Amino acid sequence: MRSPAPSFCTLSGLISSATRVLTEAAYRVLTDTAYRVLTGAAYRVLTDAAYRVLTGAAYRVLTEAAYRVLTDAAYRVLTGAAYRVLTEAAYRVLTDAAYRVFTDAAYRALTDAAYRA
């Protein structure tokens, strides 16, 4: 008795084997390709989103910090300058007024003393 021929020796067996092999190969190729495409896309989307979020947050933090630092520095500079200007002006006004008052009083005292003498 002869053993039956393997299934791939018949036309239907050959078609069936070829279909299984090609289906398996197509499945592997497509899943591998889909995996690479989807992970690459997800990576790009997530890194882009993270970049936008982090740069936006860093921008807000840095601009707020810079605003605080610069306004604080400007406040100190301007108040320091205003203090110096106003104290200098007050000093000049007061010394000038005191000079006038005392010279006027001294003039009057001396002329009065001279007149009496």
Side-chain angles (χ1 to χ4, degrees):
M1 213 174 166
R2 259 178 111 182
S3 62
S7 64
F8 61 84
C9 289
T10 64
L11 183 58
S12 67
L14 185 60
I15 291 172
S16 177
S17 294
T19 302
R20 269 185 272 135
V21 168
L22 290 175
T23 303
E24 181 67 26
Y27 175 78
R28 281 192 218 129
V29 167
L30 289 175
T31 53
D32 188 46
T33 304
Y35 175 78
R36 276 193 243 127
V37 167
L38 291 176
T39 53
Y43 176 79
R44 285 190 296 277
V45 166
L46 290 175
T47 53
D48 189 44
Y51 175 79
R52 277 193 239 122
V53 167
L54 292 176
T55 52
Y59 176 79
R60 285 190 298 277
V61 166
L62 291 176
T63 52
E64 188 176 332
Y67 175 77
R68 276 194 232 124
V69 166
L70 292 176
T71 51
D72 188 46
Y75 176 79
R76 280 194 232 132
V77 167
L78 291 175
T79 53
Y83 176 78
R84 277 182 252 134
V85 167
L86 292 176
T87 52
E88 180 67 26
Y91 176 78
R92 286 188 192 149
V93 166
L94 292 175
T95 53
D96 191 42
Y99 177 78
R100 278 192 233 123
V101 166
F102 287 120
T103 53
D104 190 41
Y107 176 77
R108 284 189 196 149
L110 290 175
T111 53
D112 193 37
Y115 178 72
R116 286 192 191 142

